[in-house]
């Protein structure tokens, strides 16, 4: 596929994902709570089958996320599900923004900057728009969104580095054969 067409496809994916993020963010408080409860019930059913919530690793992760996102307050698990959705949505947004910037500029620094700044801007806009839907704006949510953004950029940078290292090794091996 031509690089320009790939950029267009990624740009469309970026616009679509921003729309998804803003759609979920601008639901009124009742709809948002219903969506979180549905996700929580679904995860509970999966847990009944796999029984992962009693694993020490899961318990430690849950406690660490609770401390990171809520401080000393002990929040119900459904709130952790809600905040995990924030991380996931913004992680995907940062991944798409990263690859778009890399395709467009071919510079890693630009990819990192756009991968961090565009989702950060969308997070602020999302919280601002929530005020008009009967929900409050929360700086804590923006911080959680940005943590997902950072994870996405780190994953992209690592995958790019691993890909370049594998290509380097393949070229080196090819030169020895010839």
């Amino acid at each position: 596929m031509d690089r320009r067409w790939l950029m267009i496809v990624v740009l469309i994916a970026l616009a679509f994902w921003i729309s998804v993020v803003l759609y979920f963010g601008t639901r009124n408080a009742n709809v948002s709570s219903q969506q979180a409860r549905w996700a929580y019930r679904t995860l509970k059913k999966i847990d009944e089958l796999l029984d992962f919530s009693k694993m020490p690793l899961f318990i430690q992760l849950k406690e660490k996320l609770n401390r990171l996102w809520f401080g000393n307050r002990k929040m119900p698990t459904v709130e952790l599900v809600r905040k995990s959705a924030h991380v996931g949505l913004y992680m995907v947004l940062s991944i798409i923004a990263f690859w778009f910037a890399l395709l467009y500029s071919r510079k890693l620094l630009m990819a990192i900057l756009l991968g961090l700044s565009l989702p950060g801007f969308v997070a602020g806009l999302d919280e601002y728009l929530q005020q008009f839907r009967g929900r409050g704006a929360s700086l804590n949510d923006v911080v959680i969104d940005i943590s997902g953004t950072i994870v996405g950029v780190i994953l992209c940078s690592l995958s790019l580095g691993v890909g370049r290292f594998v290509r380097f090794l393949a070229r080196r091996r090819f030169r020895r054969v010839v």
Side-chain angles (χ1 to χ4, degrees):
M1 181 181 278
D2 184 355
R3 187 173 142 261
R4 285 178 290 179
W5 283 108
L6 187 57
M7 276 183 10
I8 290 170
V9 168
V10 175
L11 181 61
I12 290 168
L14 184 61
F16 171 75
W17 200 255
I18 290 171
S19 301
V20 167
V21 167
L22 293 176
Y23 169 79
F24 283 119
T26 56
R27 300 299 91 203
N28 68 41
N30 292 333
V31 172
S32 179
S33 292
Q34 287 173 351
Q35 290 171 336
R37 276 186 254 125
W38 176 85
Y40 176 72
R41 285 191 305 270
T42 302
L43 289 172
K44 275 303 244 188
K45 288 178 183 176
I46 293 170
D47 181 40
E48 289 170 6
L49 292 172
L50 302 177
D51 198 28
F52 60 84
S53 65
K54 292 187 175 61
M55 294 171 54
L57 178 65
F58 179 83
I59 293 168
Q60 289 175 353
L61 179 63
K62 180 181 170 186
E63 289 172 0
K64 285 182 182 181
L65 289 177
N66 193 78
R67 256 185 274 121
L68 178 68
W69 293 341
F70 304 112
N72 293 330
R73 297 179 304 180
K74 190 70 175 166
M75 298 301 279
T77 307
V78 70
E79 281 302 309
L80 283 173
V81 170
R82 288 178 78 140
K83 300 311 175 189
S84 297
H86 280 256
V87 171
L89 285 169
Y90 282 89
M91 182 178 67
V92 171
L93 179 57
S94 70
I95 289 169
I96 298 169
F98 179 96
W99 290 112
F100 173 75
L102 192 63
L103 283 168
Y104 181 77
S105 71
R106 296 182 179 184
K107 294 184 174 137
L108 180 60
L109 180 61
M110 289 300 295
I112 291 170
L113 289 175
L114 188 69
L116 293 172
S117 62
L118 180 64
F121 172 76
V122 172
L125 178 64
D126 183 30
E127 291 302 314
Y128 174 74
L129 292 174
Q130 285 180 13
Q131 297 178 73
F132 303 107
R133 301 295 293 167
R135 297 168 65 180
S138 169
L139 182 59
N140 190 46
D141 282 356
V142 174
V143 170
I144 292 169
D145 298 341
I146 291 173
S147 69
T149 297
I150 291 168
V151 169
V153 169
I154 289 171
L155 289 174
C156 287
S157 299
L158 286 173
S159 69
L160 186 65
V162 167
R164 288 181 177 176
F165 184 68
V166 166
R167 271 188 282 157
F168 168 76
L169 290 177
R171 285 187 197 136
R172 200 170 122 183
R173 186 174 180 200
F174 180 72
R175 286 184 196 142
R176 284 185 184 168
V177 172
V178 175

